């Protein structure tokens, strides 16, 4: 029996050790972090872009190949770390778009010459904006990169965070294919740097003249790309984030939509009031109306707000059509759920204590069962030999047989 008690004590101590060990193990466990993916958008078509082939790694320094489609670099590339070196006239606009660096290179193929200016920007939005700044309305569209246009022997296209401005000594039937080959070698930024401007999703697509969209991130770029309103009225210095201007072919005449994105709906409401007052002032407005407003039918001028976006319609379309175009602008607010822990700290502590109690009960139960098994087995063995179940009452002593 003493041995049984010792066995029970030993098992109880082991149970307590298991409990303490379980507590230590549980406290050292950590859940793995959540992972998130960012989707990319093709601004040329307005649809999500899915790449099926590997693309080169993208950096803030454009790298032009030494040879592509038969064109061989004639000189060493000229690096352009400053916007003024890339374009002295439009350096301020390039800085607004987030100019990072540039490179100029001259190529030869036979007797033909090709001069390429590659401009690299901080993200996709900056490259798209710079492309729309340089591309003029009416330039024929080309199927190169993400978006492209041409003007005689000049080809302008963009892909990822890079804008390519190429000038041929003469245009041939293979000029476009050469530019497509070059575009394949340009990288595409990933993550937030590869996202298209969200304001483009609010542009109505019906009757839109595809090659007239201009995207701006500052007053110089907005004015230089033919902005309808005075730049100081937009409020870039007050928090305006981006603008987009686009032309439409309506049945009664051409119309222009101007969309201005502000950080909050409250700020947009305040700016909407100022822009409406400026339009209503007419010839008395200060500053005076720019040429695009002066050339518009005043009856068709209208302003409204959609969430944080202020919309202005101008042009020569009749008021009814202008109003319908204005009402087609819609803002969808995207609510992003912040990942929350599935269990509170209180619940985790409760589960920890419950686990400890369960392990202790299991250990204690095992000790009792083991004690009953060992003690009961010994009692049955003694009964089978004709002895009492317990040896407590047996007097065990040594006797001497002195009768002999």
């Amino acid at each position: 029996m003493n041995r049984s008690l010792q066995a029970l004590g030993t098992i109880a101590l082991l149970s307590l050790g298991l409990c303490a060990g379980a507590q230590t193990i549980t406290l050292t466990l950590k859940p793995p972090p959540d992972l998130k993916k960012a989707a990319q958008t093709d601004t040329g078509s307005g649809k999500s872009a899915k790449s099926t082939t590997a693309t080169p790694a993208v950096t803030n320094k454009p790298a032009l190949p030494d040879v592509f489609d038969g064109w061989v670099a004639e000189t060493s590339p000229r690096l352009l770390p400053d916007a003024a070196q890339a374009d002295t006239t439009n350096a301020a606009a390039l800085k607004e778009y987030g100019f990072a660096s540039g490179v100029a290179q001259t190529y030869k193929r036979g007797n033909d010459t090709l001069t390429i200016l590659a401009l690299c920007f901080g993200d996709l939005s900056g490259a798209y904006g710079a492309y729309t700044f340089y591309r003029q309305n009416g330039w024929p569209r080309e199927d190169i990169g993400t978006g492209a246009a041409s003007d005689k022997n000049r080809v302008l296209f963009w892909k990822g965070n890079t804008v390519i401005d190429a000038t041929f000594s003469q245009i041939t039937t293979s000029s476009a294919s050469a530019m497509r080959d070059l575009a394949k070698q340009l990288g595409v930024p990933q993550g937030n740097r590869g996202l298209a401007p969200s304001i483009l999703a609010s542009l109505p697509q019906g009757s839109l003249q595809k090659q007239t969209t201009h995207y701006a991130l500052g007053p110089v770029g907005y004015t230089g790309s033919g902005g309808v309103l005075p730049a100081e009225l937009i409020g870039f210095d007050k928090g305006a984030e981006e603008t987009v201007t686009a032309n439409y072919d309506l049945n009664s005449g051409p119309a222009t939509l101007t969309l201005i994105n502000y950080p909050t709906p409250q700020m947009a409401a305040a700016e909407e009031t100022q822009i409406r007052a400026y339009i209503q002032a007419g010839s008395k407005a200060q500053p005076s109306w720019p040429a695009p407003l002066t050339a518009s039918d005043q009856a068709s001028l209208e302003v409204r707000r959609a969430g944080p976006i202020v919309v202005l319609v101008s042009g020569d379309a009749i008021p009814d059509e202008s109003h319908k175009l204005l009402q087609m602008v819609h803002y969808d607010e995207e609510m992003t759920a912040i990942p929350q822990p599935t269990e509170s700290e209180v619940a985790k502590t409760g589960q920890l204590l419950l686990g400890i109690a369960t392990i202790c009960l299991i250990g204690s139960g095992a000790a009792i069962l083991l004690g009953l098994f060992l003690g009961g087995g010994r009692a049955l063995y003694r009964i089978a030999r004709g002895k009492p179940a317990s040896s407590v009452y047996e007097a065990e002593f040594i006797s001497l047989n002195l009768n002999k």
Side-chain angles (χ1 to χ4, degrees):
M1 189 65 181
N2 292 333
R3 295 178 181 177
S4 300
L5 292 174
Q6 290 178 357
L8 288 172
T10 303
I11 295 174
L13 290 175
L14 289 174
S15 301
L16 292 175
L18 287 173
C19 296
Q23 181 178 4
T24 303
I25 294 172
T26 303
L27 290 176
T28 56
L29 293 178
K30 294 182 180 180
D34 294 333
L35 300 177
K36 299 172 70 176
K37 294 182 179 180
Q40 296 183 356
T41 305
D42 179 1
T43 56
S45 62
K47 299 180 180 179
S48 297
K50 295 183 179 179
S51 177
T52 57
T53 58
T55 56
V58 64
T59 65
N60 284 337
K61 295 181 179 180
L64 293 175
D66 293 332
V67 180
F68 68 96
D69 198 50
W71 290 97
V72 181
E74 185 180 31
T75 59
S76 300
R78 183 166 60 93
L79 301 181
L80 309 170
D82 187 76
Q85 295 176 306
D87 188 343
T88 304
T89 304
N90 300 305
L94 292 181
K95 291 180 179 179
E96 289 179 351
Y97 289 119
F99 175 83
S101 62
V103 62
Q105 182 87 323
T106 301
Y107 293 85
K108 292 283 291 185
R109 188 173 69 178
N111 295 325
D112 295 332
T113 303
L114 170 62
T115 303
I116 293 181
L117 174 63
L119 305 177
C120 187
F121 297 85
D123 54 22
L124 184 147
S125 295
Y128 172 71
Y131 165 75
T132 63
F133 177 82
Y134 283 111
R135 184 215 62 222
Q136 302 299 310
N137 293 347
W139 284 14
R141 181 182 179 276
E142 303 292 344
D143 185 18
I144 304 170
T146 308
S150 63
D151 179 35
K152 299 178 181 178
N153 63 331
R154 181 184 179 188
V155 177
L156 183 71
F157 75 89
W158 72 284
K159 180 183 177 182
N161 62 334
T162 304
V163 175
I164 298 293
D165 192 346
T167 303
F168 291 85
S169 58
Q170 63 175 349
I171 293 292
T172 64
T173 55
S174 63
S175 297
S177 63
M179 292 293 96
R180 282 190 285 271
D181 185 75
L182 175 61
K184 293 178 181 178
Q185 304 185 45
L186 299 178
V188 177
Q190 303 298 317
N192 291 336
R193 295 177 59 204
L195 297 179
S198 58
I199 194 173
L200 297 179
S202 299
L203 276 177
Q205 296 302 306
S207 304
L208 172 65
Q209 298 180 21
K210 301 295 184 179
Q211 293 294 92
T212 64
T213 303
H214 296 277
Y215 177 74
L217 293 170
V220 180
Y222 174 75
T223 303
S225 57
V228 175
L229 294 170
E232 55 267 35
L233 194 63
I234 299 296
F236 286 105
D237 57 338
K238 300 177 183 178
E241 298 177 339
E242 55 188 354
T243 67
V244 61
T245 306
N247 295 343
Y248 290 80
D249 280 326
L250 303 182
N251 293 331
S252 59
T256 301
L257 270 184
T258 300
L259 278 66
I260 312 168
N261 190 18
Y262 293 94
T264 64
Q266 293 77 13
M267 185 179 294
E271 295 298 325
E272 175 196 11
T273 302
Q274 294 187 13
I275 294 175
R276 180 176 287 107
Y278 177 79
I279 296 299
Q280 292 175 349
S283 59
K284 298 180 181 180
Q286 293 296 328
S288 59
W289 279 13
L293 277 183
T294 304
S296 299
D297 181 1
Q298 296 189 22
S300 298
L301 296 175
E302 189 176 350
V303 182
R304 67 177 287 259
R305 180 179 65 86
I309 299 177
V310 175
V311 189
L312 168 69
V313 60
S314 56
D316 290 332
I318 61 175
D320 286 345
E321 282 197 320
S322 297
H323 178 75
K324 290 180 181 179
L325 178 62
L326 189 72
Q327 293 299 321
M328 290 178 66
V329 177
H330 177 67
Y331 172 76
D332 287 325
E333 185 175 3
E334 296 182 358
M335 302 298 292
T336 303
I338 301 176
Q340 298 292 337
T342 56
E343 297 176 341
S344 65
E345 293 300 324
V346 175
K348 290 180 180 179
T349 304
Q351 289 186 353
L352 172 63
L353 296 176
L354 181 61
I356 294 174
T358 301
I359 293 177
C360 291
L361 289 175
I362 293 174
S364 300
I368 293 172
L369 291 175
L370 185 59
L372 291 175
F373 174 76
L374 295 177
R378 184 172 182 274
L380 292 175
Y381 176 72
R382 287 179 59 84
I383 293 172
R385 295 183 60 187
K387 295 182 178 181
S390 175
S391 61
V392 175
Y393 302 103
E394 286 187 355
E396 296 181 359
F397 58 91
I398 301 174
S399 62
L400 298 176
N401 190 1
L402 299 179
N403 296 325
K404 291 184 179 180

